[in-house]
Amino acid sequence: MTLSPSSTAAEVIAHLKSLRNEENVAGMARFGIVTDHALGISNTDLRAIARIIRRNHERALALWDSGIREARLLASYTEEPKKITADQARACAATFNSWEMVDSWSDTFADAGLGPELIPEFIADDREFVRRTGFVMIAWSAVHLKKLPDETFLAFLPVIEAHATDPRNFVKKAVNWALRQIGKRSPGCHGPALALAERLAASEDRTARWIGKDAARELKGRIALRKVGLG
């Protein structure tokens, strides 16, 4: 089947099903990917398909509604950020069941300008993958939303500190990621982020200590210092 920008969701899903790879499905489980509704198609191949079919909001909604792993990821790659609503993002986040789904959609939510409304809400949510979404949105925004002032990200440091003791694997890694990306954003962000990292590194809490040590090691490294013009 030849895909194009005019391909319907049904046509895209039929194409995805034709690419099913059982061996890849088995391998995905080893990386923490939920495979109940997976076809075993790599993200590289999905992104190639996304480049062909391009962005389409209505089709992205239909792909998401299919419940198929690959269709849901493809929906994130081909969604039109300007058309995403906060309620759509909330509904998606409520069903996230893997780190890859969080990480694919968090970029899109942030690009849609939903960060100010949803980041605090998602972080306050106790569900592991919803909370992760909030922190990944911070990490992505720190890198890509360059027009936002540093103060936007410095304001997240107390939130990062408050949740640095959450021991759940996919939360603590996202907290660490957000802290590192804030620290590498600019000279103005680097100092406060490093100070927090060192404070966490001295914590009696095991999770906070791991987050702090890892972040401090990167932020004091030559690459990070050069990135912010301090090395």
Side-chain angles (χ1 to χ4, degrees), residues 93-146:
T95 68
F96 287 160
N97 59 3
S98 72
W99 61 267
E100 68 162 357
M101 203 62 67
V102 170
D103 295 3
S104 292
W105 277 97
S106 294
D107 298 2
T108 308
F109 296 160
D111 202 30
L114 297 173
E117 180 176 359
L118 294 184
I119 287 175
E121 179 180 322
F122 285 165
I123 289 176
D125 195 302
D126 194 50
R127 288 172 290 184
E128 182 173 9
F129 291 114
V130 178
R131 181 168 290 171
R132 178 181 174 88
T133 301
F135 283 109
V136 176
M137 287 176 70
I138 292 174
W140 189 90
S141 299
V143 176
H144 297 284
L145 301 187
K146 300 184 185 301

Side-chain angles (χ1 to χ4, degrees), residues 119-120 123-124 135 138 154-164 175 196:
I119 287 175
I123 289 176
F135 283 109
I138 292 174
L154 294 175
F156 288 130
L157 293 180
V159 180
I160 288 173
E161 185 167 16
H163 292 281
V175 172
L196 173 56

Side-chain angles (χ1 to χ4, degrees), residues 205-225:
D205 182 86
R206 180 178 180 179
T207 300
R209 195 162 59 246
W210 174 83
I211 291 171
K213 286 182 177 180
D214 184 76
R217 180 168 52 249
E218 179 167 345
L219 294 178
K220 289 190 288 188
R222 277 189 300 176
I223 294 175
L225 291 173

